[in-house]
Amino acid sequence: MTEIESVRRARFSDDLNHIIDSNGQRVDFEDSRIVYVDPEPRNSYGRRLVINLFKKYNRNIRVSGETDASILQYAKRICSGRECLASVAIAGAVLKDIKEYKKEDEITIYRTPIDNHGPCQNGAWPVLWDTFSRRLNVKNAIFCAFPKYTNRYLGLNRDMLAWENINFIVGQYLIEARNALHCVAENRINALERFEYLTSEFIDSVKDGKKTLNTGLVKWAKEVAKIPLKASIEEIPKVLIFGGLNLMFDHYPLEDFFLEKGIIVKVVDIIETMSMILAESTIRFGFKKGYLTPKDQFNEKLLGVSELEGNEQKEFQRTRRNKSALNFLNSQCKIFRRIIGKSGLLFDPFIDFVALFEEGNKYVSSNSLSETPIITGRFLHSIKEGIYDGLVNLGTFNCQPAMNSQAIIRPLANKSDIPYAAIDCEGPWISTNQRRLLETIAIQAKRLRKEKNEKLIQKASS
């Protein structure tokens, strides 16, 4: 046996109360050597908020930035190329962290963004990472760890984990506001500089404990609303980029493209993916009880007092916990969208997850436990809203749920007047032909918004 083969893997103790390091020594979760790593890409504002949040709880975390060429290059050392973009990007981010950031005496816990079972490659991630960990032979590293009730949340505080997700969501809302300001500001350069200053001031005030998220954002929104605008949000063309989990890894070039064209672009809220993760247990439990639609499965009566026993009782309790977490996240999203909306830069109302799932379920069963129904539901809801002047369904070519959604949506899109495009990619870049397609969407979106504005003027004058 060679030296590299003899590296002992770090692991959680059997009672999940501490870690056993590679030397067989007990390490308590309060130990400063422990570092949690989120290898999936997160927005810049949310990243700063979450790092500060962990420090408040005396915990350490590193959060990956945008997926780029260097991350995908690292992934080539361990991936075959047949994996989906999410798998490849996360693997690359983990390897990059190991090579560039992991310290010699550090005990690193590499978390995964999803822990679901269904028709998606993520169902194989535990096996995949078990294989990768043996090949990597990294001392004091734990891979594919998803915080949940059954593993005592990896030694983290449950409330802190909830607020971690909320901080990332708030960060995305701030980017949504920034994108709108980019297109409506009277002086774009000065406005964006002011926006960044106010946003950094808000993040620092929360870090120092001078403000809470709520009070800090109230002040932020009040100051941002003072930035001079050349037009109202309603006048400017808007495009929605929607899809599944893969959007975290590949939306950047599309977002930049539409902003260059003066079109307000929104990437769907990450809460939709988070909700799907939390909803799995409710869907499964409801299906077992004979309920087939999201509306029935999420009925509060189903999660009332139960006389189940054994494993069924455990499943029932897990369902109630996840439903409670889902309700909390949804309520907080509504609160923070309302606060940030005081800036005058948000235009899309919060959409209840069950409503989206119910819409998608009309065309593909939500009991498939894939992203296809939620992607389809997002498209249908956006058509009904009439807020957007263009819709782009972004997926990766080897993501089956994403490709399924394209097949379902195509005939529906042909019946709609809103410009629509489906794009599948291999990474955070677009080809020449895809850029031409986006050019067409941009032109059509501007034309459609002009027609809408003219109708509003005629209606107002009549």
Side-chain angles (χ1 to χ4, degrees):
M1 181 177 290
T2 64
E3 181 180 350
I4 193 170
E5 291 174 334
S6 65
V7 172
R8 180 187 298 177
R9 285 194 268 177
R11 60 180 177 84
F12 296 106
S13 63
D14 293 337
D15 59 9
L16 300 168
N17 284 327
H18 58 275
I19 290 174
I20 307 297
D21 69 13
S22 293
N23 296 321
Q25 300 298 310
R26 174 189 174 121
V27 180
D28 292 328
F29 286 111
E30 292 76 17
D31 196 299
S32 60
R33 291 175 295 164
I34 295 177
V35 178
Y36 298 86
V37 175
D38 275 2
E40 70 274 15
R42 297 291 195 166
N43 64 78
S44 56
Y45 303 135
R47 200 159 56 235
R48 290 161 62 188
L49 286 167
V50 167
I51 290 172
N52 293 339
L53 175 69
F54 268 64
K55 287 180 180 178
K56 283 185 178 181
Y57 283 83
N58 295 317
R59 294 291 191 271
N60 303 307
I61 189 171
R62 286 195 296 271
V63 185
S64 181
E66 294 183 353
T67 302
D68 57 20
S70 68
I71 287 177
L72 296 181
Q73 192 65 36
Y74 269 110
K76 289 183 177 180
R77 304 180 186 183
I78 197 168
C79 293
S80 67
R82 293 188 293 271
E83 302 85 356
C84 67
L85 177 60
S87 297
V88 172
I90 289 173
V94 168
L95 262 68
K96 182 173 182 176
D97 186 87
I98 290 171
K99 297 295 183 182
E100 300 182 14
Y101 303 112
K102 180 174 166 56
K103 297 178 181 177
E104 184 67 27
D105 64 342
E106 180 179 295
I107 300 169
T108 318
I109 301 174
Y110 291 98
R111 304 194 316 187
T112 51
I114 190 170
D115 181 33
N116 281 41
H117 302 285
C120 174
Q121 291 193 34
N122 73 274
W125 283 359
V127 176
L128 185 74
W129 277 104
D130 183 59
T131 303
F132 284 177
S133 64
R134 289 196 298 270
R135 290 170 56 187
L136 293 172
N137 282 291
V138 180
K139 186 178 181 180
N140 286 331
I142 298 175
F143 301 95
C144 198
F146 182 85
K148 53 188 176 182
Y149 177 81
T150 54
N151 60 21
R152 297 177 182 262
Y153 304 104
L154 308 180
L156 296 170
N157 183 288
R158 183 187 179 190
D159 291 339
M160 188 199 74
L161 286 170
W163 283 104
E164 175 190 346
N165 287 324
I166 291 167
N167 275 277
F168 281 132
I169 293 167
V170 166
Q172 187 173 12
Y173 291 168
L174 293 174
I175 287 179
E176 186 179 338
R178 186 191 67 190
N179 286 351
L181 183 63
H182 184 280
C183 299
V184 300
E186 185 177 284
N187 184 311
R188 179 181 297 170
I189 295 177
N190 291 344
L192 292 178
E193 286 180 354
R194 178 64 176 165
F195 183 93
E196 292 299 331
Y197 171 79
L198 291 171
T199 304
S200 291
E201 184 180 57
F202 152 66
I203 293 173
D204 289 341
S205 71
V206 175
K207 175 185 177 181
D208 297 337
K210 297 177 181 178
K211 300 283 185 180
T212 64
L213 275 180
N214 296 58
T215 57
L217 283 171
V218 167
K219 179 184 177 183
W220 174 91
K222 183 178 180 180
E223 294 301 318
V224 170
K226 297 177 182 178
I227 298 176
L229 308 180
K230 66 180 180 182
S232 68
I233 297 292
E234 291 73 22
E235 297 175 59
I236 306 298
K238 306 169 194 67
V239 167
L240 175 71
I241 300 174
F242 68 104
L245 181 70
N246 68 272
L247 287 178
M248 299 174 68
F249 308 91
D250 58 9
H251 73 269
Y252 331 119
L254 277 73
E255 190 174 29
D256 292 341
F257 171 85
F258 285 113
L259 288 177
E260 289 172 4
K261 300 295 182 182
I263 296 175
I264 299 175
V265 57
K266 172 179 174 174
V267 180
V268 294
D269 301 342
I270 193 174
I271 183 61
E272 294 179 14
T273 295
M274 291 180 181
S275 296
M276 192 193 72
I277 297 171
L278 289 171
E280 179 187 1
S281 56
T282 304
I283 295 169
R284 290 184 184 277
F285 183 79
F287 185 77
K288 285 183 178 180
K289 296 301 173 184
Y291 296 97
L292 303 181
T293 69
K295 184 178 180 180
D296 291 335
Q297 291 166 346
F298 283 84
N299 190 308
E300 293 298 332
K301 293 180 180 179
L302 180 63
L303 301 180
V305 178
S306 175
E307 297 179 354
L308 300 175
E309 297 179 354
N311 290 333
E312 283 197 332
Q313 178 64 24
K314 291 181 180 179
E315 183 181 3
F316 172 73
Q317 294 299 336
R318 181 170 64 251
T319 299
R320 292 190 66 176
R321 284 195 302 271
N322 289 342
K323 182 66 164 54
S324 176
L326 180 60
N327 288 341
F328 176 73
L329 276 178
N330 276 259
S331 66
Q332 293 302 308
C333 286
K334 293 175 184 177
I335 290 171
F336 287 113
R337 281 199 74 82
R338 185 168 63 250
I339 295 173
I340 296 174
K342 297 294 184 180
S343 66
L345 296 175
L346 297 187
F347 53 87
D348 192 352
F350 178 79
I351 306 171
D352 183 72
F353 166 77
V354 178
L356 292 179
F357 233 35
E358 189 72 24
E359 286 287 337
N361 185 63
K362 297 175 183 177
Y363 294 90
V364 55
S365 174
S366 58
N367 298 301
S368 64
L369 291 169
S370 77
E371 292 181 292
T372 305
I374 196 73
I375 296 172
T376 305
R378 200 23 158 124
F379 169 82
L380 294 168
H381 194 90
S382 299
I383 292 294
K384 290 181 179 179
E385 278 185 324
I387 292 175
Y388 294 100
D389 309 296
L391 301 169
V392 179
N393 184 3
L394 179 62
T396 51
F397 76 102
N398 56 357
C399 175
Q400 192 61 50
M403 295 303 98
N404 289 342
S405 75
Q406 291 186 10
I408 294 169
I409 291 173
R410 173 57 62 189
L412 301 175
N414 290 337
K415 299 176 183 178
S416 170
D417 295 329
I418 299 181
Y420 166 83
I423 292 180
D424 54 282
C425 59
E426 300 177 7
W429 54 77
I430 51 177
S431 67
T432 301
N433 286 337
Q434 288 171 337
R435 187 175 182 86
R436 288 171 181 159
L437 179 59
L438 294 177
E439 291 274 5
T440 302
I441 295 295
I443 293 171
Q444 291 175 333
K446 289 181 177 180
R447 183 184 301 151
L448 180 60
R449 175 48 54 183
K450 182 179 179 182
E451 293 173 358
K452 289 180 179 178
N453 290 344
E454 290 174 351
K455 289 180 181 179
L456 289 174
I457 293 174
Q458 292 174 2
K459 184 178 180 180
S461 61
S462 61

